[in-house]
């Protein structure tokens, strides 16, 4: 299928970029599937590197370069161990820590960096820009709803189709799923406690 070929092209491009630069970025707005894309390629990265270290950053707590580097197993400079550090939410790092991280990656050949970011980061080649179209939203929502038992799954799927049909369907997956979660809370059976 064309989706599978596109995914294979992306993987080849990503691995070639990492081979050449040891840095790569997946860029896109909130809720457009950056983390989902990374999760889907994580097994390939694990097969290519001796160690994969995943760090998720958030706006609730600012991380420092020292905290990030502490997550990596200590390596001698001459070590043959290859480490891939994934930083999900790279824009949450302070600008000075971003510079220090890039400098560290350039200095230590054992280390490779893959990041997600809302904007193209400085000194990191962009390998993919994510957008959420309706087909992707539909496919990923179907996958999410596979975890929900019937009859609730059918009700939520009908709600998704209703959003789609009325044009109220947000093209930001995070907003879409928050909207559907609110509906889930309304629809799920209320627990009954003995009086």
């Amino acid at each position: 299928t064309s989706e599978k070929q596109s995914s294979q092209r992306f993987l080849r491009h990503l691995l070639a970029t990492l081979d050449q630069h040891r840095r790569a970025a997946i860029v896109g707005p909130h809720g457009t599937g950056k983390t989902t894309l990374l999760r889907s390629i994580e097994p390939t990265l694990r097969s290519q590197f001796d160690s994969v270290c995943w760090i998720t950053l958030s706006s609730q707590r600012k991380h420092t370069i020292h905290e990030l580097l502490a997550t990596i197993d200590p390596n001698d400079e001459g070590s043959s161990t290859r480490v891939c550090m994934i930083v999900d939410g790279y824009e949450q790092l302070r600008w000075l820590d971003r510079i220090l991280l890039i400098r560290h990656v350039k200095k230590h050949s054992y280390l490779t960096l893959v990041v997600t970011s809302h904007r193209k980061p400085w000194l990191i080649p962009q390998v993919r820009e994510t957008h959420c179209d309706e087909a992707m939203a539909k496919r990923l929502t179907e996958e999410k709803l596979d975890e929900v038992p019937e009859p609730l799954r059918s009700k939520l799927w009908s709600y998704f189709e209703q959003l789609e049909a009325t044009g109220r369907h947000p093209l930001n997956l995070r907003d879409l799923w928050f909207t559907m979660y609110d509906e889930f809370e309304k629809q799920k059976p209320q627990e009954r406690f003995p009086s």
Side-chain angles (χ1 to χ4, degrees):
T1 66
S2 63
E3 189 175 325
K4 189 174 182 178
Q5 289 170 337
S6 172
S7 176
Q8 288 170 344
R9 274 195 308 274
F10 163 65
L11 257 179
R12 283 194 301 272
H13 177 49
L14 170 66
L15 293 174
T17 302
L18 292 179
D19 196 43
Q20 184 177 357
H21 301 283
R22 291 188 297 111
R23 301 180 301 282
I26 298 169
V27 177
H30 268 303
T32 55
K34 296 182 301 295
T35 303
T36 303
L37 178 60
L38 259 183
R39 289 278 180 215
S40 75
I41 62 170
E42 187 179 3
T44 301
L45 292 174
R46 289 195 181 280
S47 73
Q48 299 290 314
F49 293 91
D50 301 307
S51 172
V52 173
C53 171
W54 186 298
I55 301 146
T56 301
L57 303 181
S58 74
S59 58
Q60 276 72 38
R61 182 175 176 276
K62 296 295 181 191
H63 289 68
T64 67
I65 182 67
H66 304 295
E67 291 171 313
L68 263 65
L69 295 178
T71 63
I72 302 172
D73 291 333
N75 281 277
D76 297 324
E77 204 157 319
S79 172
S80 61
T81 301
R82 296 179 65 226
V83 178
C84 179
M85 176 188 274
I86 297 172
V87 180
D88 190 15
Y90 180 74
E91 71 279 349
Q92 299 299 331
L93 276 178
R94 290 179 296 231
W95 69 269
L96 181 57
D97 286 330
R98 288 182 223 163
I99 291 168
L100 292 172
L101 180 58
I102 297 297
R103 193 169 162 200
H104 188 83
V105 171
K106 284 182 164 188
K107 182 178 176 185
H108 298 281
S109 60
Y110 72 87
L111 185 58
T112 295
L113 179 66
V114 178
V115 304
T116 66
S117 183
H118 294 155
R119 287 179 223 70
K120 184 183 181 316
W122 187 53
L123 297 175
I124 303 179
Q126 179 178 315
V127 291
R128 171 69 69 91
E129 186 170 354
T130 58
H131 304 279
C132 186
D133 59 19
E134 288 189 32
M136 177 192 243
K138 193 170 194 169
R139 183 175 53 79
L140 292 174
T141 301
E142 275 183 298
E143 287 175 16
K144 286 281 182 202
L145 289 179
D146 280 345
E147 302 165 17
V148 178
E150 286 292 357
L152 190 52
R153 180 188 315 150
S154 294
K155 288 180 181 177
L156 289 172
W157 184 249
S158 294
Y159 181 68
F160 172 82
E161 290 177 325
Q162 179 186 351
L163 287 174
E164 199 174 35
T166 59
R168 293 184 301 131
H169 170 298
L171 284 182
N172 174 318
L173 280 179
R174 184 173 293 178
D175 291 347
L176 170 64
W177 290 345
F178 275 132
T179 302
M180 292 191 70
Y181 180 77
D182 291 343
E183 185 64 17
F184 168 80
E185 285 297 311
K186 288 183 210 166
Q187 295 283 340
K188 76 176 184 181
Q190 297 299 312
E191 291 180 350
R192 302 198 190 285
F193 296 99
S195 44

